[in-house]
Every structure is written in C-alpha cells, then in structure tokens.
Amino acid sequence: MRILITGISGMLGVDLYQILRDSYEIVGLDIKGFPSTPFSSPPLHKGDITDLPELKAVFLKLNPDFVIHTAAYTDVDGCEKSPDRAHRVNALGTRNIALICQEKNIPLVYVSTDFVFDGKKNYPYAELDEPHPLNVYGRSKLAGENYIRSLLEGYFIVRTSWLYGQYGKNFVETILKLAEEKEVLTVVGDQVGSPTYAKDLAQEMKKLVSGGSYGIYHITNSGSCNWYDFAEEILKLAGIRGIKVKPITSKELNRPARRPQFSVLKSSSSGRGLEDTMRPWKEALKEYLEERKDL
Ligand SMILES: NC(=O)c1ccc[n+]([C@@H]2O[C@H](COP(=O)([O-])OP(=O)(O)OC[C@H]3O[C@@H](n4cnc5c(N)ncnc54)[C@H](OP(=O)(O)O)[C@@H]3O)[C@@H](O)[C@H]2O)c1
C-alpha cells in the first residue's frame, strides 16, 4: 500500500514517516524540503495544498492508496494575525484533499486539535462533544473537519494536543533553550492539557492505517498538567537545576490567540482497535529526552 503523507517535513510528518516506512511505501507532500534526519528522505513532492490543480497533478503522479493529512498552518498566534491564510490552508487546503479523496475513493486520516474545544468543561472532552473553538486556528481546523465529514465516508479524524517531537519546534525545546539563557522562566499555569509525544501518536495512527474503523479519535498521552507543571517536569527529567519557574496567568502573558483553559481529551477508542489509555505523559517525556541526546 502506498501512503501519501501531507506535511511530511513537519514535526508529526517526520515521525509518521519513520514509523510507517518499514511497513508501507511512503510518498510525501510538503511546502518545504525534508529536514535533516538520521534516515533517508522519502520521495517528496514540494507543493501547496491550497492549489487544487497542482494537488490533482500530484495525486495523479503519486497515485496513493491512502492519505494522512497533517499539513497545516500551525502557528496559533500567527493564525490570529493572518486569518485568511489560516482559512486558506487549514480549511480550504483540507477541502482540496478531501475532494480528491472523494473522487478517487481514497481513505483519509486528518489530524485535528484539542483547540476545537472552548475549555469551558472541566472534565475531559469526548469525541462526540460539541466543538466550539475560541481562536482562528481552532475554527480553521474545525472547518477542515467539517469539510471531511461532509465530503467523505472513509475518514479518520484524529484530535491530539500539545505535541512535541524530535523534528520540529516545540515547547520542550523552547524550555531547554530558555534554561540555557535565563535563571527565571515565566510559564502559564492556568491552561490544562495533555502533552503528547509525536512518536506515540504516530504509533497509534499506524493502527488506524492497518484497519481501524472510520470515525473521530482522541489520541494523546494519558494524564494532564498545566504548562507550568510541564516546564518543571522537563527541567527535572533533563537534570537541570537552579532555574526558577514562575507561574503566570494567560491574561498576564497576553498572547494574540485565546486558548482553552482546559482541553484534556478523553478517548473512547476501546473496541475500535486503539489503546483506551496511552502511556502517561511523564513517561513519554522521559523517553523523548533520552532519545534527543542520541541524535
Ligand atoms: N503541534 C501541536 O501541538 C499540535 C496539536 C494538535 C494538533 N496538531 C495538528 O497536527 C498536525 C501536525 O502538526 P505539526 O506540529 O507536526 O505541524 P508542523 O510541524 O507545522 O508541520 C506541518 C507541515 O505542513 C507544512 N505546510 C504548511 N502549509 C502548507 C501548505 N499550504 N501546503 C503544503 N504543506 C504545508 C508546514 O510547512 P511550514 O513549516 O513551512 O509551514 C510543515 O512542514 C497539524 O495538522 C496540526 O494542526 C498539532
């Protein structure tokens, strides 16, 4: 089976490639080139998902049997400042992919986000809870979900949260870098979610590819924390001492995009071939920190 991964040069895309490449033929599509990794680059078409004619030509050339769509404009504050770009890439780009999958009858996995929820609930969100995004990014990703749901029958929508991985900018790397530069770090303490290792997510997604039932899935590492707790755990597990972490509020940080205060996702995957509970986020973080040292 030949799988096309859109956004293959991004953080999750690289991990998906790494995990799927031994079992499947992988081809990639991304607006940028593949990053430098210890393994060889996949056949990659450099292209833009917002260009439907180009996309049709890419599908004709690559002829995939299955599509995993991770390409997105993922800068949450950037989306707030450039809502047209957010809509073009995350909503209309996804519509383009869905239209081609519909025409060619290709199953599609779409990666979506906890930011489709507003965080007003104070217990975990289930797959069928009503989304209500607070920011432009969340609205554009939800619009992508809605296009998929209205155009396709053979789809998987995978919502995940607070991703970090070896091949992309992420919170863990930001904290480690800041710890080299500063003695006091200020980190938001009033947003709760579930940090998720992109490699763990990719491993779960592999099960969907190999025969999951269509529908919506919530896939995150288990447990939850706020960003302040997450930063403390990163420093502790990395063995970095002497750095003070100060919690601040979202209001004090004053970022352009509002974020949900609580976006923990609950999985109802039992009986659908996935783990109901993935390993705890602290365990996954420990492994990430060990693995990054070897790179
Ligand atoms: N990161 C998180 O915390 C998180 C949480 C929940 C859900 N998600 C979702 O998970 C997926 C993967 O996230 P990620 O963190 O791996 O994102 P990422 O590192 O930003 O990867 C996305 C890739 O798509 C590319 N891309 C952007 N616009 C494109 C276009 N018009 N045509 C083709 N490729 C394009 C990006 O290139 P550029 O870098 O040049 O833009 C990048 O290589 C996304 O769909 C995201 O919405 C992420």
Side-chain angles (χ1 to χ4, degrees):
M1 181 161 83
R2 184 179 303 142
I3 303 177
L4 170 64
I5 301 177
T6 74
I8 198 162
S9 307
M11 187 165 67
L12 177 61
V14 177
D15 270 332
L16 278 167
Y17 170 56
Q18 195 182 0
I19 279 164
L20 294 170
R21 71 200 175 107
D22 288 340
S23 313
Y24 301 101
E25 186 188 348
I26 306 295
V27 288
L29 168 69
D30 203 290
I31 208 151
K32 65 173 191 244
F34 201 67
S36 105
T37 63
F39 39 90
S40 60
S41 159
L44 168 70
H45 182 95
K46 263 202 198 177
D48 187 339
I49 58 165
T50 67
D51 183 338
L52 185 57
E54 183 190 11
L55 208 53
K56 283 188 172 169
V58 171
F59 270 74
L60 212 57
K61 186 173 133 206
L62 301 177
N63 196 24
D65 307 299
F66 197 103
V67 174
I68 304 182
H69 174 39
T70 80
Y73 179 34
T74 55
D75 175 350
V76 176
D77 291 317
C79 286
E80 215 63 26
K81 293 182 211 149
S82 312
D84 292 349
R85 178 174 168 194
H87 185 70
R88 204 170 56 248
V89 178
N90 297 345
L92 301 182
T94 299
R95 179 173 178 266
N96 288 343
I97 304 270
L99 280 171
I100 300 175
C101 288
Q102 182 195 47
E103 188 186 310
K104 295 184 177 291
N105 200 17
I106 305 174
L108 171 69
V109 181
Y110 171 61
V111 184
S112 190
T113 168
D114 55 330
F115 281 14
V116 298
F117 295 113
D118 62 16
K120 297 209 168 113
K121 211 175 143 182
N122 55 7
Y123 53 99
Y125 284 93
E127 286 85 347
L128 296 180
D129 279 337
E130 192 67 40
H132 185 247
L134 291 178
N135 56 40
V136 171
Y137 169 73
R139 282 195 287 277
S140 67
K141 292 292 294 183
L142 178 60
E145 286 191 14
N146 290 337
Y147 279 127
I148 284 172
R149 293 173 68 171
S150 65
L151 289 167
L152 297 176
E153 279 169 22
Y155 68 81
F156 304 88
I157 291 173
V158 171
R159 297 193 189 118
T160 189
S161 64
W162 296 23
L163 277 188
Y164 59 92
Q166 305 290 359
Y167 303 101
K169 277 193 227 154
N170 63 68
F171 183 77
V172 183
E173 295 304 320
T174 303
I175 291 297
L176 294 174
K177 184 160 183 296
L178 285 174
E180 284 173 11
E181 296 162 1
K182 298 178 169 190
E183 282 170 9
V184 180
L185 312 184
T186 51
V187 180
V188 166
D190 61 359
Q191 291 166 25
V192 175
S194 302
T196 300
Y197 188 8
K199 192 179 86 171
D200 287 9
L201 170 61
Q203 246 140 10
E204 282 299 284
M205 287 174 66
K206 185 177 183 185
K207 297 178 190 164
L208 295 180
V209 175
S210 66
S213 18
Y214 293 134
I216 304 178
Y217 290 80
H218 284 177
I219 307 182
T220 67
N221 282 122
S222 61
S224 60
C225 62
N226 62 47
W227 292 106
Y228 163 82
D229 301 325
F230 190 14
E232 289 268 43
E233 192 66 19
I234 293 164
L235 296 176
K236 185 178 126 197
L237 291 177
I240 298 170
R241 285 171 227 297
I243 306 283
K244 182 163 172 44
V245 186
K246 258 182 59 183
I248 56 167
T249 62
S250 309
K251 209 168 167 193
E252 284 172 284
L253 187 63
N254 198 20
R255 301 277 287 272
R258 276 176 76 200
R259 269 101 169 145
Q261 293 217 316
F262 182 91
S263 61
V264 179
L265 302 177
K266 172 179 181 290
S267 163
S268 323
S269 301
S270 69
R272 294 201 289 164
L274 296 197
E275 302 295 324
D276 223 2
T277 310
M278 297 225 327
R279 66 174 163 168
W281 69 268
K282 287 185 187 179
E283 205 180 290
L285 175 61
K286 185 166 178 280
E287 187 173 299
Y288 170 86
L289 290 167
E290 282 161 9
E291 286 177 351
R292 82 185 272 284
K293 279 195 230 136
D294 300 333
L295 288 179

